[in-house]
Amino acid sequence: MNKFGKIAIDGLVTNNASFKLVLGTCAALGMSATAIGGLGMGLSVTVVLLISNVLISLLRKVIPNTVRIPAFVVIIATLVTLLRFFLDKFLPDLYETMGVFLPLIVVNCMILGRAEAFASKQPVLDSAIDGVATGLGFTLALTVMGIIRELLGNGSLFGVKLWDFTIGFFSKSAGAFFVYGICIALFVFITDRVEKAFRAKRSQKLRVPDGIAPLEAPETSQAKEEA
């Protein structure tokens, strides 16, 4: 796997912001009541992550080290403000749905963390891929939680009513914490099993290097000589 593939896998799975690093918890709990809310918040964060990572990477040699954190916050806050204007103008329903959680993207530790840990030290293309992968991993987590909570709590999916039977617990805060915990446990369990299987397969391949034929049994060698 090349460098870009590793960056993508790291953001999507290995260090998934919500299910592995448990970042952006406020948005994950508050915006996952419905699938469309989780998807909208995830994509909004992805856009901010992508553009902020690119800008910070471009300016990484210009921004003084002593003021890098305030500079990062200013960049992120500007992007979130522009995003709010865009959503209010073109997607007012989504803007109303996101409510107070939209401006809170400014203080999302995931965005500032990627700016400080990655974008401020890496080239532009690498930073862009990291922003997209991290954002899509976050989007996937919120959408999955939103689908579960909406199906069980409202009996609908993306606003389309499917059945009348509902469990109100999943529409409330306690339900958000419960679903979040279950999703984290399942995600960690599955990814750990897959990683162990991959390591076992890789170590098995390393035991017999490519291009080296296995040793023949003595009977086989003797039969060949007699022939």
Side-chain angles (χ1 to χ4, degrees), residues 16 21 30 42 47 53 69 104-105 121 128 157 165 203 218:
N16 184 278
L21 303 182
V47 171
N53 270 18
I69 299 299
L104 284 178
I105 294 176
K121 302 177 178 66
L157 182 62
F165 175 77
S203 62

Side-chain angles (χ1 to χ4, degrees), residues 25-210:
T25 306
C26 181
L29 296 174
M31 289 302 303
S32 62
T34 61
I36 192 66
L39 180 63
M41 172 57 73
L43 293 178
S44 298
V45 170
T46 301
V47 171
V48 175
L49 261 170
L50 169 61
I51 302 176
S52 64
N53 270 18
V54 169
L55 291 176
I56 290 168
S57 179
L58 286 170
L59 299 173
R60 69 185 187 279
K61 296 181 181 179
V62 178
I63 299 175
N65 190 53
T66 53
V67 296
R68 68 184 188 282
I69 299 299
F72 297 164
V73 172
V74 169
I75 292 172
I76 295 168
T78 302
L79 293 173
V80 172
T81 302
L82 294 174
L83 177 64
R84 292 180 64 189
F85 290 155
F86 176 84
L87 293 178
D88 189 23
K89 177 67 176 178
F90 298 103
L91 298 170
D93 292 339
L94 180 59
Y95 178 80
E96 292 296 330
T97 300
M98 296 176 72
V100 69
F101 292 102
L102 182 56
L104 284 178
I105 294 176
V106 176
V107 293
N108 192 315
C109 53
M110 174 178 56
I111 300 176
L112 186 59
R114 298 317 298 166
E116 169 67 12
F118 196 93
S120 62
K121 302 177 178 66
Q122 302 296 332
V124 176
L125 184 56
D126 295 27
S127 300
I129 294 173
D130 176 75
V132 172
T134 303
L136 291 180
F138 182 70
T139 302
L140 177 64
L142 264 66
T143 305
V144 168
M145 290 178 59
I147 289 173
I148 296 171
R149 293 184 62 197
E150 186 177 357
L151 283 173
L152 297 177
N154 300 329
S156 61
L157 182 62
F158 289 100
V160 179
K161 194 70 175 178
L162 299 178
W163 54 71
D164 294 328
F165 175 77
T166 60
I167 304 174
F169 168 77
F170 290 97
S171 299
K172 299 178 181 179
S173 300
F177 279 99
F178 179 80
V179 172
Y180 194 31
I182 294 297
C183 287
I184 290 174
L186 288 174
F187 185 86
V188 172
F189 175 77
I190 293 171
T191 52
D192 283 353
R193 291 292 295 270
V194 171
E195 186 178 356
K196 287 179 181 178
F198 177 78
R199 287 180 178 176
K201 186 176 181 181
R202 186 178 179 183
S203 62
Q204 187 176 6
K205 286 183 178 180
L206 292 175
R207 290 174 187 172
V208 181
D210 294 336

